[in-house]
């Protein structure tokens, strides 16, 4: 249920509605804008009727939220949410760029890549340490050792770092070493993991599941928000379709759809769906043009020798060229690329 107050509603009128709801045991999520105050109410709101509130002084509108996700819906929370990670704000007028290797292979390569991409303006550094590989024989990541290297490079460059968590038992390591915790596509509906991550005091990057609809994705975000963590950034990374010429089909239409349905920031990972570096570049540009709040791209200093996702990894030079291009595209839609 959403209750919208009149622009001139008094503190007493708003307080009266709030007391009424608290007395009935409801939690209120208050959105206080410059002009309007909006209450979002979660819980068993079947017991409430909009008419009760419409009759109260100071109330201009009251209605039910139709979607199964509430806290993540734009009806509930009309203004854009901005998520701060270190010194970077994601979800405002600046586009954030996350870059780095698919997997952290050793300290030297991470240092080499990170120095190069930060020089070109990358705002956050990514690197996988616990890898969700399709084959059990493929490189699985360095585990905690990798996270230690990532933290070290984050401190050295002053850039926040991102890595994917796969297991509940590893969460303490991520709380220790990482600034933004990634929930991978394969775990988007791992509800046990989501419930645990909801209690973590770090921002969360929730990737879209390989076969997930947008509403399923937003319901997963709702698991995080409803259990306590509303610092959520969504990441479109492509979905499985009948098309075989790319690894996944990059559903860029989810960017404007999410903007309509939700107030959460959304970024795009063009690397995993496209699978080949020459295809990643045009879709990174397109993601910015579509209104994404950021992009996340894989970069490697020697892609042909990479232990994972080499074919889709940009070279450091390609990344640097891409940064110049997206700066122009961002300008055309009234945005800028975040500066460090
Ligand atoms: C990744 O970003 O390294 C990754 C494995 O992505 P996804 O979960 O989207 O496949
Ligand atoms: Mn990868």
């Amino acid at each position: 249920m959403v209750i919208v107050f009149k622009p001139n509603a008094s503190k007493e009128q708003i307080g009266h509605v709030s007391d009424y709801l608290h007395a009935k045991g409801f939690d209120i999520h208050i959105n206080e804008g410059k002009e309007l105050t909006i209450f979002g109410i979660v819980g068993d709101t079947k017991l409430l009727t909009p008419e009760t509130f419409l009759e109260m002084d100071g109330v201009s509108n009251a209605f039910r939220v139709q979607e199964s996700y509430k806290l993540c819906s734009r009806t509930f929370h009309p203004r854009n949410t901005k998520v701060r990670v270190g010194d970077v704000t994601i979800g405002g007028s600046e586009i954030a760029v996350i870059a780095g290797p698919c997997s952290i292979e050793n300290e030297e390569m991470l240092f080499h890549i990170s120095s190069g991409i930060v020089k070109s303006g990358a705002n956050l550094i990514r690197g996988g340490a616990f890898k969700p590989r399709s084959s059990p024989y493929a490189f699985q990541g360095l585990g905690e050792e990798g996270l230690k290297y990532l933290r070290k490079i984050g401190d050295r460059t002053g850039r926040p770092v991102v890595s994917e968590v796969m297991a509940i038992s590893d969460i303490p390591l991520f709380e220790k070493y990482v600034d933004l915790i990634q929930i991978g596509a394969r775990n988007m509906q791992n509800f046990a993991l989501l419930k645990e991550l909801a209690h973590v005091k770090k921002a969360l990057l929730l990737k879209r599941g390989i076969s997930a609809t947008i509403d399923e994705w937003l319901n997963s975000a709702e698991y995080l928000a409803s259990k306590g963590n509303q610092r959520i950034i969504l990441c479109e990374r492509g979905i499985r379709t009948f098309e075989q010429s790319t690894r996944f089909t990059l559903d860029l239409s989810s960017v404007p759809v999410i903007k309509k349905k939700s107030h959460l920031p959304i970024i795009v990972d063009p690397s995993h769906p496209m699978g080949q570096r020459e295809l990643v570049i045009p879709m990174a540009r397109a993601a910015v043009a579509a209104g994404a709040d950021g992009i996340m791209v894989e970069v490697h200093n020697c892609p042909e020798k990479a232990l994972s996702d080499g074919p889709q990894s940009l070279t450091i030079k390609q990344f640097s060229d891409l940064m110049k291009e997206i700066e122009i595209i961002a300008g055309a839609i009234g945005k800028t690329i975040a500066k460090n």
Side-chain angles (χ1 to χ4, degrees):
M1 177 89 69
V2 170
I3 301 171
V4 184
F5 289 90
K6 291 177 181 161
N8 59 356
S10 68
K11 272 207 174 93
E12 289 69 34
Q13 289 170 334
I14 296 172
H16 173 72
V17 178
S18 158
D19 292 346
Y20 175 89
L21 287 161
H22 282 142
K24 291 193 178 294
F26 287 102
D27 275 345
I28 309 173
H29 294 261
I30 305 175
N31 292 290
E32 228 161 339
K34 272 199 203 98
E35 306 204 329
L36 284 184
T37 297
I38 298 171
F39 279 6
I41 302 143
V42 275
D44 196 2
T45 54
K46 281 196 288 301
L47 303 168
L48 301 172
T49 59
E51 291 70 32
T52 314
F53 299 100
L54 290 168
E55 283 165 11
M56 291 183 177
D57 291 338
V59 172
S60 79
N61 201 3
F63 53 91
R64 290 190 191 284
V65 178
Q66 299 304 327
E67 298 88 4
S68 51
Y69 48 91
K70 312 285 178 197
L71 299 177
C72 295
S73 91
R74 198 175 274 285
T75 330
F76 208 95
H77 186 291
R79 280 170 300 128
N80 286 341
T81 284
K82 295 178 188 159
V83 178
R84 200 154 169 84
V85 185
D87 60 357
V88 186
T89 301
I90 302 170
S93 63
E94 292 185 333
I95 293 165
V97 178
I98 306 176
C102 177
S103 303
I104 300 159
E105 298 168 11
N106 55 61
E107 193 172 3
E108 293 67 38
M109 67 80 84
L110 184 63
F111 177 69
H112 189 147
I113 297 166
S114 303
S115 323
I117 57 176
V118 170
K119 213 181 282 165
S120 308
N123 307 112
L124 294 98
I125 300 169
R126 67 150 284 149
F130 294 85
K131 295 302 300 177
R133 303 306 300 278
S134 301
S135 161
Y137 305 116
F139 178 58
Q140 302 286 310
L142 296 182
E144 181 172 4
E145 188 190 347
L147 293 183
K148 281 186 186 162
Y149 298 151
L150 192 59
R151 180 72 270 151
K152 207 161 143 192
I153 206 71
D155 292 342
R156 212 146 142 187
T157 56
R159 295 294 89 224
V161 295
V162 192
S163 198
E164 175 178 350
V165 68
M166 293 209 297
I168 292 175
S169 54
D170 292 332
I171 293 176
L173 293 178
F174 285 76
E175 290 179 288
K176 184 166 170 199
Y177 296 116
V178 166
D179 302 298
L180 173 62
I181 304 179
Q182 179 172 321
I183 302 159
R186 290 153 193 85
N187 276 314
M188 188 206 83
Q189 285 189 315
N190 180 341
F191 299 118
L193 181 64
L194 298 182
K195 284 181 193 171
E196 288 299 319
L197 286 168
H199 300 301
V200 169
K201 304 251 169 302
K202 297 262 175 173
L204 303 170
L205 181 64
L206 179 65
K207 287 196 140 191
R208 182 177 182 177
I210 289 170
S211 300
T213 65
I214 290 174
D215 278 10
E216 286 164 344
W217 187 15
L218 287 171
N219 270 300
S220 288
E222 189 79 7
Y223 263 90
L224 302 169
S226 63
K227 302 261 180 286
N229 193 338
Q230 300 189 18
R231 293 175 67 205
I232 306 163
I233 301 160
L234 301 169
C235 179
E236 169 63 55
R237 50 80 69 211
I239 48 174
R240 173 126 316 145
T241 68
F242 52 81
E243 182 52 61
Q244 299 291 305
S245 42
T246 51
R247 267 181 98 179
F248 299 93
T249 299
L250 178 52
D251 179 16
L252 274 187
S253 60
S254 72
V255 175
V257 172
I258 287 284
K259 288 280 170 205
K260 199 168 166 197
K261 287 177 172 259
S262 177
H263 52 88
L264 294 175
I266 174 168
I267 69 163
V268 172
D269 164 1
S271 302
H272 289 88
M274 304 317 290
Q276 302 161 52
R277 74 182 67 84
E278 68 273 20
L279 303 181
V280 171
I281 296 169
M283 295 313 277
R285 298 181 194 127
V288 172
D293 297 299
I295 55 169
M296 176 158 82
V297 287
E298 289 185 339
V299 180
H300 201 284
N301 55 326
C302 187
E304 49 296 344
K305 296 221 174 98
L307 296 183
S308 63
D309 288 349
Q312 70 197 29
S313 298
L314 303 186
T315 62
I316 296 172
K317 166 80 169 75
Q318 280 176 318
F319 175 76
S320 158
D321 292 344
L322 175 64
M323 287 298 286
K324 292 179 200 129
E325 293 171 353
I326 59 172
E327 180 86 57
I328 299 168
I329 298 167
I333 54 167
K335 291 188 174 181
T336 52
I337 305 295
K339 296 279 173 276
N340 294 329

